[in-house]
C-alpha cells in the first residue's frame, strides 16, 4: 500500500510539473507572469518619461522578455524615446519597434 501511494504521488508530481513547463511555442506560468510584470514596468517607464497620454497611445506586449511596441506617435523622436524607455527596464531582452508616425494633417 505504501509503495502504491509513493507511485501515485510521483505520477501526480510529474503531471503537475509537465502542465507548468514551457514548450517551444508556449510559456510556463512563471514566464507568463514575468512577461506581464515586464509589460507593466515598460508601460510605467514610458508614462514617467513621456507622459500618461503618450503611454496610453502605445501598446506594449511581451513574449519571453522581448517587448513589442505598437501604436501611433507624433514624431520619430517620440518613437525613439519610447524604445529607449523600454530598453532601460531591467529584464527586457530586446525591443521590437512597430510604432508608426502619425501622418501630418
Amino acid at each position: 500500500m505504501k509503495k502504491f501511494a509513493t507511485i501515485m504521488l510521483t505520477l501526480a508530481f510529474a503531471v503537475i510539473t509537465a502542465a507548468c513547463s514551457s514548450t517551444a511555442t508556449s510559456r510556463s506560468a512563471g514566464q507568463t507572469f514575468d512577461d506581464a510584470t515586464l509589460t507593466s514596468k515598460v508601460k510605467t517607464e514610458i508614462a514617467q518619461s513621456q507622459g500618461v497620454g503618450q503611454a496610453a497611445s502605445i501598446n506594449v506586449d511581451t513574449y519571453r522578455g522581448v517587448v513589442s511596441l505598437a501604436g501611433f506617435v507624433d514624431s520619430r523622436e517620440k518613437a525613439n524615446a519610447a524604445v529607449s524607455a523600454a530598453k532601460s527596464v531591467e529584464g527586457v531582452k530586446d525591443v521590437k519597434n512597430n510604432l508608426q508616425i502619425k501622418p501630418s494633417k
Side-chain angles (χ1 to χ4, degrees), residues 2-78:
K2 188 174 183 179
K3 189 172 184 176
F4 177 74
T6 303
I7 290 172
M8 292 307 292
L9 282 174
T10 302
L11 286 173
F13 180 74
V15 168
I16 290 170
T17 303
C20 292
S21 65
S22 63
T23 65
T25 58
S26 69
R27 297 176 288 183
S28 68
Q31 286 172 326
T32 301
F33 181 77
D34 291 346
D35 285 344
T37 300
L38 276 179
T39 296
S40 178
K41 287 180 178 181
V42 168
K43 240 348 193 180
T44 300
E45 184 63 29
I46 292 171
Q48 289 177 344
S49 66
Q50 296 187 28
V52 175
Q54 188 69 30
S57 67
I58 297 175
N59 295 316
V60 180
D61 291 310
T62 308
Y63 184 77
R64 293 186 175 187
V66 177
V67 173
S68 174
L69 303 177
F72 289 92
V73 293
D74 294 328
S75 66
R76 176 65 46 208
E77 292 77 23
K78 291 196 180 211

Side-chain angles (χ1 to χ4, degrees), residues 63-100:
Y63 184 77
R64 293 186 175 187
V66 177
V67 173
S68 174
L69 303 177
F72 289 92
V73 293
D74 294 328
S75 66
R76 176 65 46 208
E77 292 77 23
K78 291 196 180 211
N80 291 340
V83 170
S84 294
K87 286 182 176 179
S88 74
V89 174
E90 186 177 340
V92 172
K93 295 178 182 175
D94 193 18
V95 177
K96 303 295 182 190
N97 181 4
N98 297 313
L99 294 169
Q100 301 292 313

